[in-house]
Amino acid sequence: MAELIAYFSRGDENYVNGEIKNLEIGNTEVAAGVIGRLTGADLFKIEPEQAYAKDYNECIAQAQADQRSDARPELRAWPERIDKYDVIYLGFPNYWGTMPMCVFTFLEHFDFAGKTIRPFCTHEGSGMGSSEKDIRKLCPKAKVEAGLAIRGGNVKRSEKEIERWL
């Protein structure tokens, strides 16, 4: 059974444990790396063509504007073949109760019929929000399993939590 970890993550300034901190690697990318190490799944980073600003407040303004307008940002690249994967681990930071809009772009681009989607998100207190419901709506013919919500500030100590979820 072939597995893919498709994730969106951004480093730079992020809100972590009540403070704005500069992260070399985004929290979701850290979690994706752990899942990759534990499962051997292929990794694919979802990247919008126009990257979000490095400054946290500018990034938030851009992401909120995308969400308000229900934007579907163009992506820089796509996985070569999605049909060879049976399981898709889908990772993202929780943006106002759901996924960043570039993750919607990714999900709408492919047919996930017959595939299993296992969502995971990083957050600072909001959990999965409506993400699982949104994924089910976008991918009605996929099996969407219960997701894992990892507190972003704790992601570097989350390996045991991820192991239990897997």
Side-chain angles (χ1 to χ4, degrees):
M1 174 168 43
E3 299 178 323
L4 174 69
I5 304 163
Y7 67 95
F8 168 75
S9 186
R10 65 175 285 285
D12 303 317
E13 288 186 353
N14 275 267
Y15 186 75
V16 180
N17 291 329
E19 298 177 27
I20 295 177
K21 295 184 177 181
N22 194 40
L23 303 178
E24 190 174 317
I25 298 172
N27 289 326
T28 305
E29 187 166 354
V30 172
V34 172
I35 294 168
R37 194 172 64 255
L38 293 172
T39 64
D42 294 338
L43 287 163
F44 175 79
K45 187 171 185 179
I46 299 169
E47 297 181 273
E49 187 69 47
Q50 182 178 347
Y52 286 113
K54 293 179 183 231
D55 176 86
Y56 176 75
N57 291 315
E58 288 178 41
C59 171
I60 292 302
Q62 289 172 298
Q64 285 179 327
D66 281 353
Q67 194 174 46
R68 275 193 302 274
S69 67
D70 202 27
R72 296 300 187 267
E74 292 291 322
L75 301 186
R76 287 186 185 175
W78 299 93
E80 245 180 72
R81 293 183 51 205
I82 201 82
D83 59 314
K84 72 178 186 175
Y85 298 105
D86 304 303
V87 176
I88 313 293
Y89 296 93
L90 183 67
F92 48 88
N94 183 319
Y95 278 15
W96 305 284
T98 191
M99 305 168 288
M101 301 314 291
C102 60
V103 178
F104 282 80
T105 301
F106 176 82
L107 290 173
E108 290 172 345
H109 185 79
F110 294 107
D111 179 4
F112 290 93
K115 299 193 181 304
T116 299
I117 299 175
R118 301 195 73 202
F120 65 98
C121 78
T122 55
H123 66 94
E124 286 302 317
S126 55
M128 290 295 290
S130 67
S131 300
E132 291 171 342
K133 180 184 81 162
D134 294 338
I135 295 167
R136 285 184 180 96
K137 184 177 177 185
L138 291 167
C139 307
K141 295 180 180 174
K143 176 184 177 188
V144 180
E145 294 188 346
L148 173 65
I150 304 166
R151 184 84 180 207
N154 298 334
V155 74
K156 291 182 179 171
R157 299 179 304 280
S158 66
E159 187 160 340
K160 294 286 185 211
E161 181 181 4
I162 291 170
E163 281 181 305
R164 283 190 299 276
W165 177 67
L166 293 172

